[in-house]
Every structure is written in structure tokens, then in C-alpha cells.
Amino acid sequence: MFDDGKDVGAELSRPIELRGGFYVGYSERIWIIRPGEWERIAVENPADDDGQDFDITVRRK
């Protein structure tokens, strides 16, 4: 996963080669959110009604 402040990406990968501290080879790579796709995902703000209120009773045993 990465987030550079402008873009977000996430992947599930199985790296097989490491060079200079970085993964350079993969046997499989599954993108969950590809670079550039984050802007197309619509995130909705919660409605003014935040749901039902519950009264919770706390008792000591």
C-alpha cells in the first residue's frame, strides 16, 4: 500500500526477488487499487443522522 498525499494504491503480492532493498520480481501481483484509480472512488460523507442512540447500562459484579 502507498499514499503519497495525492494518490493511493494497494496490492497483494508475492515477491520473489529483492535488490538494493527493493522488491524487483514477483511471482504474482494482484492490484486492489491501482495507481490513478483512487480519484474515481466516490467516498460519501456520512448523513446528518448518525444512526440510532442506545442507552447502555454498566454494572459492576
Side-chain angles (χ1 to χ4, degrees):
M1 178 165 179
F2 73 87
D3 178 357
D4 65 5
K6 296 179 182 178
D7 198 11
V8 174
E11 68 178 85
L12 179 64
S13 59
R14 185 175 176 198
I16 57 173
E17 186 178 348
L18 183 69
R19 195 177 310 145
F22 297 95
Y23 296 116
V24 294
Y26 301 88
S27 65
E28 188 169 4
R29 215 168 171 184
I30 301 168
W31 286 97
I32 299 167
I33 300 173
R34 289 184 180 273
E37 289 182 339
W38 185 247
E39 290 180 356
R40 291 184 286 168
I41 297 174
V43 179
E44 296 179 12
N45 290 328
D48 291 338
D49 178 21
D50 60 354
Q52 183 179 2
D53 290 333
F54 294 94
D55 292 325
I56 300 172
T57 303
V58 177
R59 295 184 216 166
R60 290 183 172 242
K61 288 187 175 185

